[in-house]
Amino acid sequence: MFSLNRSTPERLDALLDAVRGVRVLVIGDLMLDVYLRGTASRISPEAPVPVVRVLEDWQALGGAANVAANVAALGASCDVIGCIGADAPGARLVAELERHGIGTGGVHRIEGRPTTTKTRILVRHQQVARYDHEAEEEVDADAAAALCAAIETLSATADAVVVEDYDKGVLVPPVIEAALAVARRRDVPVIVDPKARNFFAYRGATVFKPNRLELAAALRATVQPEDAAWMAQTREALDCSHLLVTLGDGGMALFTADAEHIRIPATARAVYDVSGAGDTVTAVLAAALAAGATIAEAAVLANHAAGIEVGKAGVATVTPEELRAALGGKQG
């Protein structure tokens, strides 16, 4: 079992300090998360549903945009590449990215395609409904070409590349191939968070990071994270350097390029909201690897970051100060 005893607080502090000097390129499905919160004291006369009186509303970055927000919260520089619609939610999404200091030169607008927007309705702190505006069809050849051109340009200064797939049609084969190729050519780590449609299209990834359900569905088999031989065989089948399987309240299972099998227990003390935890893990992995962490160090940092994130409402970011507090490093 991997232990933080291998990494001293001083090593942790050095890694978190080094993150401030790296740049991460995030490619994938950009989303806007909208929250409406209020009270419900009566049932609608029109249907057996509660009438929610909205008292407050706010928005947050979702999907690949949330990964970028988490990278920025760690103090690293970040650019995003993805698609939005030529609509008001798209404009709000770009404004929110810019408010976080995230580069938006790779954001491509598509007429007639809605910006992916997920609206959640909360009564006090309980989600009672969600409605989505989105298109899941693959982007056309012109949009793919624009995304590939942005990858070539923005990868020139990247210390790590993230491919964040939510099956919303942005990560078509030419875009996937361009992302993997530039990372390979520049010898920087590429971290992949896959979904079903292109699950097996990411051969050559530095870190392949499915969750248990995604991996089981793709392989049509039971996931066996405790079995080193099974993890080794799966890593080889997926043709990645490191296989990191996230297991929810079971923590993580890692099988490395050096054939090391590592089980990392979950660290969350209280789970408030699991939405966005996977994005946080991906962001911390990318930033830590770019800063010179080993894959085991990066995974442990990411695991602790996820434990912090699930204790917050909605999608949220994690700061270096919160990580230092959780891991016993210096403060500030």
Side-chain angles (χ1 to χ4, degrees), residues 19-25 68 71-72 74-79 101-103 159:
V19 162
R20 298 192 190 114
V22 306
R23 179 173 291 274
V24 177
L25 176 60
V71 169
L74 293 169
S77 300
C78 188
D79 295 292
I102 297 162
D159 300 297

Side-chain angles (χ1 to χ4, degrees), residues 192 194 199 205-211 215 219 223-225 227-246 252-258 260-262 264 285 295 299:
V192 173
F199 195 89
T206 307
V207 183
F208 193 73
K209 190 203 74 98
N211 64 39
L215 186 57
L219 299 179
V223 174
Q224 302 175 51
D227 186 334
W230 186 91
M231 289 286 290
Q233 184 178 38
T234 304
R235 183 189 72 85
E236 184 175 353
L238 294 168
D239 192 20
C240 56
S241 297
H242 311 292
L243 173 62
L244 180 66
V245 184
T246 57
M252 300 178 177
L254 172 65
F255 199 87
T256 75
D258 296 325
E260 188 172 17
H261 180 218
I262 301 168
I264 306 170
L285 283 171
I295 182 57

Side-chain angles (χ1 to χ4, degrees), residues 5 30 102 152 165 292 305 311 321:
N5 292 334
L30 305 174
I102 297 162
E152 282 295 328
D165 196 343
E321 290 71 29

